Amino acid sequence: MRIDILRVLPELLEGPLGHSIVKRAREKGTVEIFIHNLRDFSTDKHRRVDDYPFGGEAGMVMCIEPIERALDHLQSKRSYDEVIFTTPDGLTYNQQEANRLSTLENIIILCGHYKGVDQRVRDHLVTREISIGDYVLSGGELAAAVIADSIVRVLPGSISDETSALSDSFQDNLLSPPVYTRPAEYKGWGVPPVLLSGHKARIEEWRHEQALEKTRMRRPDLLDRLEESED
Ligand code: SAH
């Protein structure tokens, strides 16, 4: 899979996408991630990519031209399955969307900045608009890092124990059951005895019950989704 990210601020993405699982996946070639500077596609002598909004509002707006030039440059080389714009008024991101995106071959993620982008970018150049939650960030870089990281995590080969990503929270609309490690007893706080029993089937059953119980308490909305998908 190939992910191209268009952004104006250098550095903000290199860090989050240069460590741990994502770093290893990039090294192994499970995923290719390219980060581009939109300023490189500006024809302005000061490499500007924003301008004042029509109508006299406060703040700056990202111009359509450098964005279209950047997209044209990428799209002339290969076809892309999605051009995603990160924006607080987009569809709220979740695990199902991360799973779906992980099945695609090439995607572009466009990071907004300032007050956002000229609406014509959204109307004509973008295929999907994603929000990572109901709050406003200063720029789309962190949102792009969140989206890319969550995609890479579920790509086959990213995690050595492949079942591990599948047992994460939200896969199957359930929260993940509690986990424990050594020591089995700490300050008198024990570990559920079933986990020490070595009885695989019973452990599995316990985990499922715990996941259900936690989801019922914390996120009953997920269970409604589970029932809908079973109907
Ligand atoms: N004026 C805009 C917010 C601009 S924030 C509004 O009220 O909707 C600047 C940029 O940060 C956005 O263009 C977007 O790319 C990014 N951003 C901010 N919050 C985000 C969120 N919750 N999810 C995804 N991207 C976000």
Side-chain angles (χ1 to χ4, degrees):
M1 178 175 192
R2 178 180 168 123
I3 303 174
D4 287 274
I5 303 177
L6 301 174
R7 56 93 179 98
V8 284
L9 273 192
E11 287 108 33
L12 262 180
L13 278 164
E14 279 81 357
L17 299 177
H19 295 279
S20 174
I21 292 172
V22 180
K23 179 184 181 203
R24 285 196 296 277
R26 291 173 83 175
E27 283 169 357
K28 275 200 281 180
T30 306
V31 67
E32 287 182 292
I33 301 179
F34 295 93
I35 300 165
H36 311 272
N37 193 345
L38 272 173
R39 292 189 198 285
D40 294 342
F41 297 91
S42 167
T43 48
D44 178 85
K45 65 173 187 283
H46 302 296
R47 308 216 305 152
R48 276 180 56 168
V49 291
D50 60 326
D51 212 331
Y52 294 99
F54 283 128
E57 256 197 275
M60 300 298 274
V61 176
M62 288 170 72
C63 304
I64 189 167
E65 205 198 339
I67 296 174
E68 183 167 46
R69 283 163 55 90
L71 293 174
D72 280 351
H73 168 75
L74 292 171
Q75 286 167 330
S76 69
K77 301 219 157 98
R78 65 197 68 76
S79 72
Y80 284 86
D81 305 296
E82 292 278 17
V83 178
I84 296 163
F85 176 51
T86 57
T87 179
D89 57 4
L91 288 170
T92 308
Y93 195 57
N94 61 20
Q95 189 64 49
Q96 277 66 39
E97 178 72 354
N99 294 351
R100 185 187 75 84
L101 293 176
S102 78
T103 64
L104 305 179
E105 224 165 285
N106 302 314
I107 64 169
I108 294 174
I109 306 177
L110 170 65
C111 303
H113 239 276
Y114 317 111
K115 278 195 78 65
V117 297
D118 188 310
Q119 181 61 34
R120 289 166 294 185
V121 171
R122 303 175 62 168
D123 291 344
H124 302 291
L125 305 180
V126 155
T127 62
R128 196 141 183 101
E129 300 189 324
I130 293 180
S131 162
I132 63 160
D134 289 349
Y135 39 81
V136 179
L137 303 164
S138 339
E141 286 85 356
L142 294 176
V146 166
I147 294 167
D149 183 306
S150 59
I151 292 172
V152 173
R153 187 175 169 80
V154 292
L155 283 178
S158 287
I159 299 188
S160 45
D161 177 3
E162 278 189 26
T163 53
S164 166
L166 296 178
S167 65
D168 282 339
S169 288
F170 307 115
Q171 298 290 6
D172 299 334
N173 288 320
L174 286 178
L175 298 179
S176 181
V179 291
Y180 298 85
T181 185
R182 281 178 292 190
E185 177 98 12
Y186 183 75
K187 290 187 177 171
W189 301 323
V191 165
V194 61
L195 293 180
L196 309 173
S197 69
H199 195 299
K200 275 206 158 159
R202 248 189 278 151
I203 293 173
E204 258 331 292
E205 196 184 323
W206 179 86
R207 286 207 175 111
H208 187 66
E209 278 165 12
Q210 292 287 317
L212 264 178
E213 186 53 27
K214 196 199 272 188
T215 312
R216 218 173 268 136
M217 300 293 290
R218 297 188 173 191
R219 294 293 305 275
D221 58 303
L222 292 179
L223 291 177
D224 297 340
R225 272 194 236 163
L226 188 64
E227 276 158 26
E228 276 163 28
S229 62
E230 277 168 4
D231 283 347

